[in-house]
Amino acid sequence: MMVPVRCFTCGSVVGKHWEEFKARAREGDEDPDAVLNELGVERHCCRRMLVSHEDLVDVVSPYQ
Amino acid sequence: MTEDYEVEFVEREEREARFVVRGITPAFANGIRRAMIADVPTFSVDTVRVVENSSVMFDEQISLRLGLVPLTTPVDEFEIGDEVTLSIDVSGPNTAYSGDIVTSDDLVQPADDNVPIIELKDDQRLEAEADAVLDRGREHAKHQGGVAVGYRHLQRVEVVGDKEEFAKEEPEILRGVIEDDGELVATETFDNDLTNRYPGKEVEVHDIPNAFVFHVETDGSFSVDELVTAAIDSLHGRATELKEAVQL
C-alpha cells in the first residue's frame, strides 16, 4: 500500500528514497538502475523494495 | 589485550564506513560484529496512542511504520528503558512524513525527514502520540543501530607468473578489499575481477591471518564512529564484569 519503511532483508531505511525514485524513474524517464545507484541503494535486497513497489492508497481509498 | 592492533579506514562517511583491523582474532572480530548488531541501544517507537486515524491503514500498520523510523540516539545520555514522547498530527489531503513527528526532547528526533508514513486523502486525518523507548537490538530488530554489518578476511594478491598462451580466460571474482604491495585496494576499483587488474597473469590469493575488513552501515540513529566505539565499550564492560565475577 505505502512503500515499506525499511528493507525486509537487511533493515536499511529505503522509504526515504521512494519519492525521488518515483518522480525520476516511474513518472520520469530516467533509467531505474542509474537512479538507484545515485541514491546509494546498492544491495539487490534494497533495490527490489523500490523496484517492485506499487502505491495502492488511491486504489483502496474509495472503499474507506 | 596483550598484542597490538591497528585500524585503518578505507572509506569513511557519516553512515557508512569500511575499515581494516589487524591483530585481532576471528572470535573477537565476530564479537564486535555481534555487539554492533545486538548490543548498542537505539530509540524506537514502542507504544502508540491513536487519537484519530481515518486513513486507509489500520492503527497497527501505522504503529509498525512509526516503529521502523530511525530516531537519533545520543550515546551515554539515556539509560535502557528511558522513554521519550513523540506526537504526529497531519490532516489530508497531504502525506504524513517522518519529519512531521514532533518530539518532546530535541536529542531524540527522526533521523530522516522524508520517510512517508501514510498518504492522506480529503477528510482523512492522523493524530497520534507515541512513546519511544531505548532498547537493544536483541529485544527487537527495530532497535538495531547497525545495518548490514559484516566483515571479511583481508586478502593478499600475489602474481606468480604469466598465464599459458592458450589458457582459459576465466574471471577471478573477489569482493571486499585486497592488499597489494602494502596498499589497500577496494575490489570495486577493478570491477571485482582480478583479471582486469592483472591481464594475462597467474595470480594467487591468500587470506591474511588476523586482519579483517569491516563494513559498517548505520540506520541514522548515530554515526558509524559512535556505533563502533559503543559496541566495543559494551564488549569491554561485559569482559570486566566477567573478570570481577570470577575473581576469588
Side-chain angles (χ1 to χ4, degrees), chain B residues 107-146:
Chain B
L107 290 173
V108 179
Q109 50 183 312
D112 296 301
D113 287 343
N114 52 352
V115 180
I117 306 287
I118 181 71
E119 191 184 331
L120 298 162
K121 298 290 170 190
D122 298 319
D123 304 324
Q124 293 182 349
R125 180 156 172 264
L126 173 69
E127 186 184 351
E129 212 175 81
D131 290 332
V133 177
L134 187 72
D135 217 328
R136 295 193 181 98
R138 66 166 77 127
E139 292 303 320
H140 195 292
K142 68 184 176 185
H143 293 293
Q144 279 182 12

Side-chain angles (χ1 to χ4, degrees), chain A residues 12-26:
Chain A
S12 80
V13 185
V14 291
K16 63 180 174 186
H17 300 303
W18 170 246
E19 303 227 315
E20 191 178 343
F21 178 76
K22 189 170 135 188
R24 289 171 62 181
R26 290 280 178 92

Side-chain angles (χ1 to χ4, degrees), chain A residues 4-5 7 13 24-25 27 30 36 42 47 50 52-53 60:
Chain A
V5 178
C7 169
V13 185
R24 289 171 62 181
E27 286 151 10
E30 284 185 63
L36 287 171
E42 279 171 14
R47 284 167 162 260
L50 295 177
S52 61
H53 179 254
V60 186

Side-chain angles (χ1 to χ4, degrees), chain A residues 1-3 5-6 10-13 15-16 19 43 57-58 61 64, chain B residues 15 54-56 65 68 70 97 112 114 116 118-119 121 147 217 219:
Chain A
M1 199 179 299
M2 291 292 293
V3 69
V5 178
R6 293 194 186 216
C10 71
S12 80
V13 185
K16 63 180 174 186
E19 303 227 315
R43 286 183 289 275
V57 174
D58 293 334
S61 62
Q64 183 70 1
Chain B
R15 291 192 185 184
S54 42
S55 72
V56 293
R65 296 179 67 83
L68 291 173
Y97 291 95
D112 296 301
N114 52 352
I118 181 71
E119 191 184 331
K121 298 290 170 190
V147 164
E217 253 174 72
D219 63 356

